[in-house]
Amino acid sequence: MPKPHFSEASKAEQTKFDIARQSTAIACAAGGFVYAVAAGQYNALDLIYRCGYCARPEDVQQPVHAQLAKMHAAGEAPAAIADFRRAMSLELDFERRCAHKVTSMARWATEPSQKERDSILAAERRQEERKRAVELRAVELVAADRRKKTADSIEKARLRAEKEIGT
């Protein structure tokens, strides 16, 4: 059974997702903080996953990648594009992480949960046990039928032998 989309979550969970989605301050090696919108989006995706919901690729926005594509399409100078990449490297990295996470989430959303897998395995085990029980009972019935036929044949043979010997 597919996992529910995060839009189906309760209002309280939606609020948690919105709070996690806000821009996230990330400590820089040089000191200070950088605010990354995509990092907040990544945190929200992680929380959505941990709450048992899924997100679709169209739920993930990638404005920095879109801007980069526009720069390429406009034929901007490679140096300007390189400067943009360098300046937005953290955002680009988190946008890639978000894209990867939502792709993985889509695969995960279609897989059955552990509880569903356990119930499927239990049903398969019950079916196998039933098949084995039917086969065993069929063998027992055939054996009983053969014993009965054998006993009947022996009885008929005795009667015939008594007739032949008794006369």
Side-chain angles (χ1 to χ4, degrees):
M1 168 135 212
K3 310 317 185 266
H5 188 260
F6 72 91
S7 62
E8 299 172 23
S10 68
K11 283 287 187 193
E13 287 177 321
Q14 288 287 342
T15 303
K16 282 188 218 176
F17 301 155
D18 290 340
I19 290 170
R21 194 175 287 113
Q22 293 173 357
S23 294
T24 303
I26 299 175
C28 290
F33 292 94
V34 172
Y35 290 91
V37 175
Q41 190 171 3
Y42 185 81
N43 290 340
L45 287 172
D46 196 44
L47 183 61
I48 287 167
Y49 169 76
R50 284 185 281 133
C51 290
Y53 295 97
C54 72
R56 296 184 200 103
E58 58 269 13
D59 297 326
V60 176
Q61 288 132 23
Q62 296 183 313
V64 178
H65 275 91
Q67 180 64 33
L68 193 59
K70 284 180 189 174
M71 290 174 79
H72 279 289
E76 293 216 15
I81 292 173
D83 287 342
F84 181 76
R85 279 183 179 276
R86 196 172 13 266
M88 301 303 288
S89 64
L90 188 65
E91 278 293 309
L92 286 167
D93 180 46
F94 272 102
E95 283 185 5
R96 272 192 292 274
R97 289 182 191 189
C98 287
H100 184 272
K101 180 109 178 144
V102 80
T103 302
S104 300
M105 220 184 241
R107 206 172 33 251
W108 164 80
T110 59
E111 295 174 354
S113 67
Q114 185 63 41
K115 187 177 179 182
E116 292 167 336
R117 281 192 297 260
D118 290 345
S119 67
I120 290 168
L121 288 174
E124 287 174 357
R125 267 189 249 112
R126 283 192 300 273
Q127 186 68 20
E128 283 297 317
E129 288 172 6
R130 185 180 177 285
K131 281 182 181 177
R132 264 190 252 118
V134 166
E135 287 298 317
L136 185 61
R137 182 65 183 138
V139 169
E140 288 173 356
L141 290 172
V142 166
D145 193 37
R146 285 182 181 157
R147 282 192 302 270
K148 185 178 180 212
K149 284 181 182 176
T150 302
D152 287 345
S153 296
I154 290 173
E155 188 59 36
K156 285 180 185 176
R158 271 194 200 120
L159 291 173
R160 215 167 95 202
E162 281 182 15
K163 280 185 185 177
E164 287 176 5
I165 294 174
T167 55

